Amino acid sequence: MGEAVESLIRQDLAAKPDGVLEAIAEARGVPMQVVLDCLGPEAAARVDGNLFEEIWHNLTQWGEITFVVHTRDGVFECKGSVPPGTVGRGYFNIHGNSPIGGHLRMDRCRSIYFIDRPFFGKRSCSVQFVNEEGGVMLKVFVGRNEHRSLKADQVARFEALREKRRAA
């Protein structure tokens, strides 16, 4: 991506710091990873996708989260615990006592981002898995309590995992 496009994305982020990142990516004709990379270091920390299994296993211990798949055609959300997974037949197979389940091509996960930024006026923390083309495969958001505040124990887990991986 050119510096001119990145400069425009940074302008978009400054104009609406709590807006929908996918809208910026679509408006600028870039993959989501380009937008994520334009976030400041306080908002985004990137680690290598080869940490997929380690990070996924950590997420299984967080309790109820919000699982999101955002495409051009819709935003799909599910609340539940992240179930464990096993590798088989070319997929990371997610199975367990949760509404979240399926089969992921974890070998296509190039990067994993820890995103901590406002979203429509409230702090939002997520772990986003990015594929080889720079698209977001899925997002795991820190859950919210009955007062719509982030769950403090999950924020602590998010921050600890992010700092552990940043330091590695």
Side-chain angles (χ1 to χ4, degrees), residues 83-84 94-100:
I94 303 162
H95 45 81
N97 189 19
S98 173
I100 301 166

Coordinates of all heavy atoms in Angstrom, one line a residue, residues 83-84 94-100:
P83 N -14.7 -22.8 22.5 CA -14.5 -24.2 22.8 C -13.1 -24.6 22.3 O -12.4 -23.9 21.5 CB -15.5 -24.9 21.9 CG -15.8 -23.9 20.8 CD -15.6 -22.5 21.4
P84 N -12.6 -25.7 22.9 CA -11.3 -26.2 22.4 C -11.4 -26.6 21.0 O -12.4 -26.8 20.4 CB -11.0 -27.4 23.4 CG -12.4 -27.8 23.8 CD -13.3 -26.6 23.8
I94 N -13.3 -27.0 15.8 CA -13.8 -26.4 17.0 C -15.0 -27.2 17.5 O -16.0 -27.3 16.8 CB -14.1 -24.9 16.8 CG1 -12.9 -24.2 16.3 CG2 -14.6 -24.3 18.1 CD1 -13.3 -22.9 15.7
H95 N -14.9 -27.7 18.7 CA -16.0 -28.5 19.2 C -16.1 -28.4 20.7 O -15.1 -28.3 21.4 CB -15.8 -30.0 18.8 CG -14.5 -30.5 19.0 ND1 -14.0 -30.9 20.2 CD2 -13.4 -30.6 18.2 CE1 -12.7 -31.3 20.1 NE2 -12.3 -31.1 18.9
G96 N -17.3 -28.5 21.2 CA -17.5 -28.4 22.7 C -18.9 -28.0 23.0 O -19.7 -27.8 22.2
N97 N -19.1 -27.7 24.3 CA -20.4 -27.3 24.8 C -20.5 -25.8 24.7 O -20.5 -25.1 25.6 CB -20.6 -27.8 26.2 CG -22.0 -27.6 26.7 OD1 -22.9 -27.5 25.9 ND2 -22.1 -27.6 28.0
S98 N -20.7 -25.3 23.4 CA -20.8 -23.9 23.1 C -21.6 -23.7 21.8 O -21.5 -24.6 21.0 CB -19.4 -23.3 23.0 OG -19.4 -22.0 22.6
P99 N -22.2 -22.6 21.7 CA -22.8 -22.3 20.4 C -21.8 -22.0 19.3 O -22.1 -22.0 18.1 CB -23.7 -21.1 20.6 CG -23.1 -20.4 21.8 CD -22.5 -21.5 22.6
I100 N -20.6 -21.9 19.7 CA -19.5 -21.6 18.7 C -18.9 -22.9 18.3 O -18.5 -23.7 19.1 CB -18.4 -20.7 19.4 CG1 -19.0 -19.4 19.8 CG2 -17.2 -20.5 18.4 CD1 -18.1 -18.6 20.8

